[in-house]
Amino acid sequence: ILSSAKERKKFILYLKSNNVEARPMTTPIHQAKHFKKLNRYKSYELKNSNFFSTRGVHLPSATSLSLKKIKFICKKINRYFEK
C-alpha cells in the first residue's frame, strides 16, 4: 500500500522500467458500473475499500514464478523503498 495514488503511479512506473509487471488495484465492486445500478451502497461510505483501491498494487503472483524471479522482484521493491 502506497501513501497516495500519485506515489502508486510512480512505483508502478519504476517496476515496469525494471521489467516487473505491476498494475493498480481494481476498482471496488461498489464503484463498478454494473453494480452502481443496484443502488445498494449509496448510503455507505466505504472508506477502506476506497483507500486500498487508490493506493494498492497488484504484483506478480503466478504459481509458475521461479524463486529467482521472486527474489528479483523483491530486490526491486526493496530498492524503491530505500530511496
Side-chain angles (χ1 to χ4, degrees):
I1 301 297
L2 284 294
S3 60
S4 67
K6 184 178 178 180
E7 185 64 28
R8 176 182 70 177
K9 187 174 182 175
K10 285 173 46 180
F11 179 62
I12 290 172
L13 289 173
Y14 163 81
L15 290 176
K16 286 183 180 183
S17 72
N18 284 278
N19 299 313
V20 176
E21 290 184 37
R23 58 187 174 84
M25 286 286 240
T26 56
T27 302
I29 190 74
H30 72 281
Q31 292 179 353
K33 288 181 184 180
H34 66 280
F35 202 77
K36 280 185 176 182
K37 293 177 185 176
L38 297 176
N39 293 323
R40 289 188 181 185
Y41 293 100
K42 283 196 172 198
S43 62
Y44 297 101
E45 188 176 340
L46 302 172
K47 291 179 184 180
N48 290 335
S49 180
N50 295 329
F51 177 87
F52 287 106
S53 71
T54 59
R55 292 170 176 82
V57 176
H58 286 289
L59 297 170
S61 60
T63 57
S64 61
L65 282 176
S66 67
L67 183 57
K68 182 179 179 180
K69 183 68 174 177
I70 293 168
K71 287 181 178 182
F72 174 80
I73 294 166
C74 291
K75 182 178 173 182
K76 295 301 176 183
I77 292 170
N78 286 332
R79 278 208 181 130
Y80 180 84
F81 288 106
E82 286 173 355
K83 294 178 182 181

